[in-house]
Amino acid sequence: MEDKIAFDIHSLGETKYKSPLQLSTVRGDSIFNFVDEKDRMVFDLSMEHYQQCVSNQDEPLCLEKAGPRQQIFFDPAKTTAAIVTCGGLCPGINNVIRGVVMALHYFYGIKRTLGVPYGYEGLNPAFGHELIELNPDKVKDIHQFGGTFLGSSRGGQSVSVMVDTLIQNKVDILFAIGGDGTLKGVDAIGEEIEKRNAKISVVGIPKTIDNDIDLIDKSFGFETAFDVASPILRDAHNEAAGAYNGISIVKLMGRDSGFIAASASLAMPVVNFVLVPEMDFALEGENGFLEALRKRLEHKKHAVIVVAEGAGQHLFQQKSEVKDASGNVKHADIGLFLKEKIKEYFTDIPVTIKYIDPSYIVRSAPANSSDSVYCGRLAYHAVHGAMAGKTRFVVSKVNNKYVYIPISEVTKKRKKIELESEFWFSVLQSTGQPFSLK
């Protein structure tokens, strides 16, 4: 298990200012209380961990509770904040931007908030992107739209140059909305700031449509993703069922983790096969995928296949070495590959194959109601943590509670579906596919 000090949050120093929030410190007065610095949430809730702690007379591993502090580090009247969005699109980015701007302005009275255009490029003067002045009027309606109001880009920039830009623009707080690469980048910015002994807080708000950020319950936009994908699966089923031996293949996002494919298939239970990056499956052989598909067609005369973009990469003769600007391997198209292999395999019976790739539609959708609520709360907690002088942390939910986690902890590895988990068992029960396709 992680070392006990692993979840300690970096701080910029003493909190000298009283929060402008009119909250309480008394229980039972019907007013929300400030969160005390000592408030912690237990990370591992299992009885096994509890008994181990009791046996060893040890304190359990705990996370810092998110929320407003009575004493804050920054003087609101003199504070400037900035927001940057990086990486691929994801439902809810605009909701987070809006939430951060509104919280800074209305909760803390901060008058100057800057938008960084086109990701980390906007912090490199060589690209010529001008910083944007943000205010409530400018962002009040952006939550109704998908994408990112500020624009995005992939790939890092010189950390030293980016910190120079923050200092030159007198930025006190930087909110970075992005996935694994973005979070590593903002942590590196925070490290450089620390080396210079500057007092700038850097905060990460985890964004990944694939839901593959480690330790946290879920990332924003994920629910919207499988919500948008569900009716597409319904229509794919209609296409398959409308033809004799009809087969629909739907490719969904999921470079390293298959949470969208699995969750969408549970939400719209018309899917017969779910193929994800976490599983090793064979095409040929009596227990392989193609033979399982044949049995399905013999029995029901149609089939719906959902495949995550990163699934089945082991089936390609030559592994892709091409990477995008974020350093992610560009996978070969497993959807088109399956379509061709199915066509080659079924030469003895007629099949009708439809291939559907709605990935860019899914990721560009506006947030649904559930994600919209989540985005707003993430934004508020991020602002509270930053104003209290905390830095190099992400805000998220763990065990259904909002907490602060060091960026270094959530970027150690990607979260993946556990094939022995109840979640994956639910997928297998819903689809009826074999436990193994080896």
Side-chain angles (χ1 to χ4, degrees):
M1 181 164 288
E2 292 89 346
D3 190 85
K4 284 195 183 320
I5 63 168
F7 286 158
D8 286 351
I9 304 297
H10 291 264
S11 174
L12 294 178
E14 185 184 352
T15 51
K16 298 179 180 179
Y17 301 95
K18 186 177 179 181
S19 171
L21 299 177
Q22 300 298 306
L23 301 180
S24 175
T25 56
V26 180
R27 301 286 176 188
D29 63 358
S30 301
I31 299 173
F32 185 75
N33 292 313
F34 284 109
V35 174
D36 192 276
E37 283 298 325
K38 296 177 182 177
D39 287 345
R40 295 290 188 271
M41 314 303 296
V42 176
F43 175 62
D44 187 341
L45 302 180
S46 68
M47 179 60 75
E48 180 186 3
H49 180 61
Y50 169 75
Q51 290 174 337
Q52 188 180 36
C53 289
V54 171
S55 175
N56 297 337
Q57 295 185 325
D58 214 351
E59 285 190 6
L61 184 63
C62 292
L63 296 157
E64 192 171 309
K65 187 177 180 181
R69 269 50 177 178
Q70 190 171 15
Q71 292 294 121
I72 58 177
F73 178 82
F74 292 106
D75 178 358
K78 300 175 181 176
T79 300
T80 295
I83 306 170
V84 63
T85 63
C86 308
L89 298 184
C90 173
I93 300 175
N94 283 337
N95 300 66
V96 176
I97 295 170
R98 183 187 190 276
V100 169
V101 173
M102 294 299 188
L104 289 168
H105 183 89
Y106 289 112
F107 300 173
Y108 290 96
I110 287 173
K111 303 304 180 189
R112 188 168 183 251
T113 300
L114 302 172
V116 180
Y118 302 111
Y120 286 142
E121 282 186 10
L123 292 175
N124 185 345
F127 285 90
H129 304 315
E130 295 290 331
L131 299 182
I132 306 163
E133 293 277 349
L134 299 179
N135 57 53
D137 281 344
K138 194 166 280 188
V139 302
K140 67 181 190 318
D141 297 321
I142 63 173
H143 62 291
Q144 299 179 45
F145 304 95
T148 165
F149 168 75
L150 294 175
S152 184
S153 66
R154 291 191 182 275
Q157 302 296 324
S158 163
V159 172
S160 181
V161 168
M162 291 192 287
V163 173
D164 287 344
T165 301
L166 294 175
I167 292 172
Q168 287 163 10
N169 286 276
K170 299 181 179 178
V171 172
D172 301 292
I173 304 170
L174 175 66
F175 297 94
I177 305 168
D180 185 73
T182 305
L183 297 179
K184 286 176 179 175
V186 79
D187 199 37
I189 290 171
E191 190 176 8
E192 175 67 16
I193 288 167
E194 203 171 298
K195 286 178 184 174
R196 299 190 191 190
N197 201 29
K199 299 299 181 183
I200 302 173
S201 168
V202 296
V203 185
I205 303 175
K207 168 209 67 81
T208 165
I209 199 169
D210 294 345
N211 196 36
D212 60 358
I213 299 287
D214 196 32
L215 302 180
I216 71 176
D217 289 357
K218 66 173 182 178
S219 49
F220 76 81
F222 168 63
E223 262 193 38
T224 302
F226 71 80
D227 192 18
V228 173
S230 294
I232 295 171
L233 300 189
R234 177 199 61 207
D235 297 342
H237 172 260
N238 294 339
E239 279 286 348
Y244 180 69
N245 289 336
I247 301 169
S248 284
I249 305 167
V250 182
K251 187 180 78 171
L252 295 176
M253 300 185 84
R255 184 185 294 112
D256 299 298
S257 307
F259 288 105
I260 293 178
S263 298
S265 299
L266 283 172
M268 185 58 65
V270 296
V271 177
N272 311 114
F273 297 94
V274 179
L275 306 175
V276 295
E278 293 86 344
M279 66 188 288
D280 185 18
F281 65 95
L283 285 180
E284 312 288 345
E286 63 175 321
N287 296 319
F289 167 70
L290 292 172
E291 194 55 34
L293 178 58
R294 180 184 290 278
K295 290 174 182 175
R296 165 71 193 183
L297 293 178
E298 287 173 354
H299 184 56
K300 290 290 188 179
K301 306 304 178 190
H302 70 277
V304 178
I305 304 160
V306 173
V307 59
E309 63 179 305
Q313 295 302 304
H314 62 284
L315 300 173
F316 293 91
Q317 290 183 347
Q318 189 172 353
K319 285 194 173 182
S320 173
E321 299 295 333
V322 180
K323 295 184 178 182
D324 64 20
S326 299
N328 303 306
V329 173
K330 288 188 174 182
H331 289 316
D333 195 324
I334 184 63
L336 289 175
F337 178 82
L338 284 179
K339 181 181 178 182
E340 291 306 313
K341 290 298 180 182
I342 291 169
K343 191 187 298 182
E344 291 171 12
Y345 190 75
F346 290 102
T347 56
D348 55 329
I349 60 171
V351 293
T352 301
I353 309 171
K354 297 291 193 298
Y355 173 50
I356 304 162
D357 180 358
S359 299
Y360 291 104
I361 295 170
V362 171
R363 78 176 199 168
S364 301
N368 65 12
S369 298
S370 177
D371 262 327
S372 184
V373 170
Y374 187 39
C375 289
R377 296 182 72 181
L378 287 174
Y380 300 159
H381 284 301
V383 169
H384 294 317
M387 289 302 295
K390 301 179 189 303
T391 187
R392 298 175 66 183
F393 71 93
V394 297
V395 58
S396 197
K397 264 178 152 181
V398 175
N399 299 325
N400 208 34
K401 302 291 184 182
Y402 288 92
V403 294
Y404 298 136
I405 316 174
I407 294 174
S408 57
E409 287 301 309
V410 299
T411 54
K412 283 181 177 177
K413 60 187 177 74
R414 298 283 179 95
K415 181 168 70 174
K416 294 178 179 290
I417 295 174
E418 293 183 20
L419 297 182
E420 291 187 23
S421 66
E422 188 277 333
F423 172 69
W424 182 245
F425 180 50
S426 295
V427 174
L428 298 180
Q429 290 177 102
S430 177
T431 62
Q433 72 189 66
F435 280 24
S436 174
L437 291 170
K438 292 184 180 179

